[in-house]
Amino acid sequence: DVLQDIQDRKEIRIAVPQDFPPFGSVGPDLKPQGIDVDMANYIADQLDVDLKIVPVTSANRIPYLQTKKVDLVISSLGKNPEREKAIDFTTPYAPFFLGVFGESSVDVTKMADLAGKTVGVTRGSVEDLELEKYAPKSLNVRRFEDNNTTLTAYLTGQVKLIATGNLVATEIAKRQPQRAPETKFLLKDSPCYIGLAEGEAALQSKINGIISTALENGTLNDISMKWLKAPLPKGFGA
Amino acid sequence: MSLVNLHQVHKYYGDFHVLKGIDLDVKAGEVVSIIGKSGSGKSTLLRCVNGLEEYQKGGITLDGKEVTSEDIQVRRLALSVGMIFQSFNLFPHLTVGENIMLAPTIVLNKSKAEAKTIAEEMLEKVGLGDKFDRYPEKLSGGQQQRVAIARALAMSPKVLLCDEITSALDPELVGDVLKVLEQLAAEGMTLILVTHEMNFARDVGDRVVFMHEGKVWEEGNSKKLLSEPETEELRQFIGAVL
Amino acid sequence: MSLVNLHQVHKYYGDFHVLKGIDLDVKAGEVVSIIGKSGSGKSTLLRCVNGLEEYQKGGITLDGKEVTSEDIQVRRLALSVGMIFQSFNLFPHLTVGENIMLAPTIVLNKSKAEAKTIAEEMLEKVGLGDKFDRYPEKLSGGQQQRVAIARALAMSPKVLLCDEITSALDPELVGDVLKVLEQLAAEGMTLILVTHEMNFARDVGDRVVFMHEGKVWEEGNSKKLLSEPETEELRQFIGAVL
Amino acid sequence: MIEFSNYDIIRNLIFAAQWTVLLSLVAFIGGTLVALVLTALRLTRNSILQKLVAVYIELFQGTPLLMQMFLCFFGVSLLGYEISAWSAAILALTLFTSAFLVEIWRGCIDTLPKGQWEASRCLGMSFLQILRYIILPQALRVAIAPTVGFSVQVVKGTALASVIGFVELTKAGTMLNNATFEPFKVFAMVAVIYFLLCYPLSLSSKILEKKFNVSR
Amino acid sequence: MLYFGDLLPYSDVFFGGLMTTVELTVLTTLLGVALGTLCAVLRQYGGASPRRIVASYVELIRNTPFIVQLFFIFFGLPSIGVMLTPWQASVIALTINLGAYSTEIIRAGLGSIPKGQVEAAKVLGMTFRQTLTRVIFVPAFEKIYPALTSQCIIVMLGSAVISQISVEELTYAANLVQSRNFRAFESYLVTALLYLGLAMIMRYVFKLIGKRLFSFRESS
Ligand SMILES: Nc1ncnc2c1ncn2[C@@H]1O[C@H](COP(=O)(O)OP(=O)(O)OP(=O)(O)O)[C@@H](O)[C@H]1O
Ligand SMILES: Nc1ncnc2c1ncn2[C@@H]1O[C@H](COP(=O)(O)OP(=O)(O)OP(=O)(O)O)[C@@H](O)[C@H]1O
Ligand SMILES: [Mg+2]
Ligand SMILES: [Mg+2]
């Protein structure tokens, strides 16, 4: 029972991204910061245990969980049936829209327009799976190891289109206005869930409880305001 | 009583039959010279006696105890059998003194001081008392070989095996080494030597063993055997060497 | 008319004055032996003649044309000067036949067939007609050296330079190589040889040049010079060699 | 938006480089120890042990270090043991290092004449005594230059720990690149730091080689 | 615990990755050894400045990790206007990497050729280029062939890193598969074995080629 373990060792280990602004990125001290990090802190507080932050990439976050290196993954994790077979999810804690973004010179407005184009994406992410499922076969998907690499590939012009979250795109625009990606179309409304190992019912309900409290007492909204500069969408978590 | 005894020893390298039933008996204090053509199995014979090589049939006894090549046996053997090689095999990273002292200290557990006394004595015996602190590579071949002898003697062996120990030496250095052997023989050391020095075999050796094709082809009193060989093969061999 | 002419040739290695004004004149068909102590500059002299080394003062002409060490010159030279080394320098990855055929095909642009005919002829001449398809490492030293001669001959040189070509050979193999040289001399080939084979120098050579300390110390008719040396140095040298 | 000055980048890279150094040191020491044991095993005249060592070498020289990292990281925990990125990296680098060092050292030991073994045996020394007093001191001299040379490969190998999420120099580089979007500058700096770490090792290996060759 | 059945549906992904790795290996081995040969010749026989340039190149590459070289080429160069596809960047990175190592190796081979061989060729009138190709190369390569073989295998194994820039080779396949079915260990294990197989095959193929190339040694 992981919940019991957490309480026994008075420490919770939570995987967070460090390459995925605004969910998790590094400051000049190379320490992670962002929505996911705040969320992790909040949960640790509520459980009244110490927090051990484990930075992960999108490629290795699931193995981390499966191999019990971490208790929770708070890493802008989207839910899909295949993943649900491997791990369990809590209720959502943050909004997220996946889309295809890119240079203004590329003329794409819908999935079908992607035929023959090249899109950069982070391997194993929800957007990767979405593209694989729905994009035209002639789309050339270029999969990178982690978000860092995907973003770098876009910023250096190695790819002209990327599939990622709307928030990531916004972040790029802030940092590199001259390479600001424009939204081509949205792939999926894919709110973020906290992942945990299968069969940990006690932990799951405990965390779900913490999330719904946070939703009610406005903590989630505060976090959203802080990092996204916008309130939670209407009906979020309903 | 016999110190070293070989009884019908057979040895194979894979399919190759090297020793084809060797019988040999060496008494304490004897000096036996083994001669024979290259490839006749002389080195192999010596190496079987001190356990460096296994043999497949027959038996070897040393002072009544059987010899095999199992490691532990070799170690016990090493306490009674000394061996000196054609290529000296001194330890290049140790001084002459350290070369000689090493085995007495770590194998016989002698104290440093005791080992040093022995080493000095042995070096004196081979006429190199002043070379204690030199490194081997600073010595001539003849000097190196004499250090090797001193090193073997420091273990107080009952018998000393010498495998063509002068063949790698410049002619002018051979004499010094032979002189040391002569002196050892005079002191009563048992010596089994593979050698091409016929004069030495005749003058110092008690007995000569002529090996041919893995067999002891002829053996007997040194002077007699070398002057009146019985077999055609030995006659040819002597003709070729002298 | 002189085929090879050296006039006051000086050569330095850095500060070291190796050749101190060499004068030498070799006529077509002559056999000239150069003798002298190690370090007296014999090899250097040969290497200047075929352009492998530069010289600093004086002049060398071959068939009337000047010799320098610039690459292109060496190549032109190679068409008239053959050289054979002490260490054979056969190409190990080519068969005997290929060794001989290589330069005629790629330097003289002969056809394969033509080069093959020449190679076979030259091998026949040095008595190795049956070794065409062997690799050099399968041959004895004497055979290798004869292949090297055949290889040089295949370029139909006007003069052949030989630098101690028998020194690396076992004594019993020297004879075969000298026999080939003797035959070449008889056929009228111009030969300049650095050699320690005094008998050969006397019996086959027309002239002997004794070098000492970078100079031509004495020269003259082979038989006369070797039996009645004029200078003390040559006398000593002959004494040491014979 | 957080601004990174050049100073921030360099400071962070140098901080991360400490991990690279530490990782290299631990891996090198671990690799050396394992390689010592393996070398001793292969010197015994037991053919089964020799074969096992040969398989070990084939395995770790025949697969990419990257794969070894992944397998150590995910595989070991699958076996039910906790393993951090740090331990996994150490483990993988130790396996990798030892496999190569055993080969290098074998070459060195093979250059010692067989007579050294035989003479020692004839003097009654045990296997371990021969190793300790005769073989090791001599092989050490020969082995030191190639071993130092190989340490460069270990330092460079630590770069692959980045792919299992361990924040050393290369990982810090990708993170900083992501934060600053100045790949040319960042990766050039990363390369320079690696060069400064490795070049002295390469150089000393060359010097050692000359020194020991001359005195031989 | 371990279950390899989940890998089966992805067998063509593995196969595709394997083929890409093979292709890349063959290509970069040829290019890398060619580059190494050129640099080794410059280093051994060239003038002072080519020698210095080659030496710097070799030291630079040998003293920095391949992954950093790769990132520098793929991500760094675009900011000075050199845009390369992942495939091009990989081929270039692998080639200059193998080139640097093989320069050192091949140079040792050239250095092992006795001076007499060169002089013999010279007095037979061969040009430098003829001497190099007809006289020096074969014995020189024969000397260092085992070392060169090992280095090529090391570079092949090192190519695992280029999955990082989205080249769809063997490690990329492993990563893709594990990101789909979360069978990380199984997928990496299979891949590691495939690499092991490749390394063994490569050694074998090199041996066969060596036998043909250096047949003059066989005749013993
Ligand atoms: N380790 C080995 N493996 C296979 N054959 C061997 C081995 N050692 C020796 N031989 C062969 O055994 C035969 C006898 O060798 P040995 O060294 O005993 O001869 P030897 O009489 O000492 O000759 P030499 O006078 O040349 O030293 C030789 O034909 C040799 O080739
Ligand atoms: N490349 C070189 N650099 C410097 N000095 C050299 C060089 N080659 C030869 N020498 C020196 O030049 C002198 C003459 O050398 P050379 O080889 O011509 O002598 P030699 O008469 O052929 O001797 P030997 O009989 O030993 O072959 C020697 O003192 C030698 O040390
Ligand atoms: Mg022998
Ligand atoms: Mg000379």
Side-chain angles (χ1 to χ4, degrees), chain C residues 42-43 163-164:
Chain C
K42 309 181 294 294
S43 299
D163 192 357
E164 302 195 23

Side-chain angles (χ1 to χ4, degrees), chain C residues 47 75 90 93 106 137, chain E residues 117 119 125 127 130 134 217:
Chain C
R47 295 165 61 84
R75 298 195 57 211
L90 295 181
H93 59 298
I106 69 174
E137 61 173 6
Chain E
Q117 294 281 310
E119 290 188 344
T127 61
Q130 286 172 333
R134 299 307 198 97
R217 288 284 178 229

Side-chain angles (χ1 to χ4, degrees), chain C residues 13-14 16 18-19 36-45 47 53 86 163-164 194 196, chain E residues 115:
Chain C
Y13 282 121
F16 181 51
V18 191
L19 300 183
K37 277 205 296 200
S38 177
S40 55
K42 309 181 294 294
S43 299
T44 309
L45 174 59
R47 295 165 61 84
E53 298 281 357
Q86 178 174 341
D163 192 357
E164 302 195 23
V194 171
H196 287 310
Chain E
K115 226 175 117 218

Side-chain angles (χ1 to χ4, degrees), chain B residues 47 75 90-93 106, chain D residues 116 118 122 124 129 133 138:
Chain B
R47 295 164 60 85
R75 298 194 59 209
L90 294 181
F91 307 132
H93 60 298
I106 68 173
Chain D
Q116 294 286 310
E118 293 193 338
C122 289
Q129 283 177 332
Y133 293 102
Q138 295 185 59

Side-chain angles (χ1 to χ4, degrees), chain B residues 42-44 86 163-164 194:
Chain B
K42 308 179 297 294
S43 301
T44 308
Q86 179 174 344
D163 192 358
E164 301 195 21
V194 172

